Amino acid sequence: MPSRTAPWTVAPEPYSSPVARALWRAYYTEVSDRWYLLHEGRRTDPAELEREIAAATGAELIPPMGQLLVGRYEGTPAGTAGVRLLDAATAELTRVFVAERARGRGGAALLVGAAEDAARALGARRIVLDTRSDLVEARALYARLGYTETAPHNDSRYAEHWFAKSLT
């Protein structure tokens, strides 16, 4: 039986590449719109969207302190995952995203696994993340992959759930 992940490849990508920027825009637009639709009944204001996308460049996702990974499904860029060191032993998982057209095909778990490997390569022994209550798919993914809910590790305005996993 063929693997569900066979059409996927995952590789490091510069955060500033056109591919990474396009996936960041898709990710941010989706999560921002979901938040505003839930809380204010509207999509993100276009000017605000542009400011926030420009402000969060991803510059922290470069070695030796971080790494951005891009997943390609059947050769087409379709997802991302990033890690950045918070301290010598702890990495933060961020920017986990799979484009709608490629969801349900094993890419999210593959990207998270590759991000965990990248975190280990950076020297991390533990990985943490935060997410929101409305991102139920993300919370289910992290639980399925062995992450456990923990006390907050940051004070992000949008964080409502915090997870951690040992990498040793």
Side-chain angles (χ1 to χ4, degrees), residues 4-96:
R4 281 175 33 115
T5 61
W8 283 96
T9 59
V10 177
E13 182 85 21
Y15 75 91
S16 59
S17 77
V19 165
R21 287 195 318 261
L23 288 166
W24 170 234
R25 174 174 290 282
Y27 166 84
Y28 195 87
T29 300
E30 182 175 324
V31 298
S32 183
D33 280 352
R34 281 178 73 159
W35 191 89
Y36 276 107
L37 286 167
L38 178 65
H39 295 282
E40 297 185 13
R42 65 173 177 87
R43 294 195 180 280
T44 311
D45 173 81
E48 178 185 358
L49 184 68
E50 293 307 317
R51 279 192 309 273
E52 294 300 320
I53 288 171
T57 65
E60 70 280 7
L61 302 176
I62 59 172
M65 299 303 289
Q67 183 71 68
L68 179 67
L69 302 162
V70 167
R72 287 175 169 76
Y73 183 74
E74 296 179 338
T76 302
T80 63
V83 291
R84 67 183 181 123
L85 289 177
L86 298 179
D87 59 46
T90 308
E92 180 179 42
L93 179 64
T94 185
R95 295 194 184 199
V96 176

Side-chain angles (χ1 to χ4, degrees), residues 3-5 8-10 69 71 78-81 93 96-98 102-117 120 127 137-138 140-147 165:
S3 166
R4 281 175 33 115
T5 61
W8 283 96
T9 59
V10 177
L69 302 162
T80 63
L93 179 64
V96 176
F97 172 72
V98 174
R103 290 180 185 158
R105 295 178 168 90
L110 188 67
L111 281 159
V112 171
E116 291 170 357
D117 290 342
R120 282 185 198 93
I127 191 164
E137 308 91 340
L141 170 72
Y142 301 133
R144 189 173 76 244
L145 296 177
Y147 287 78
K165 181 179 180 180

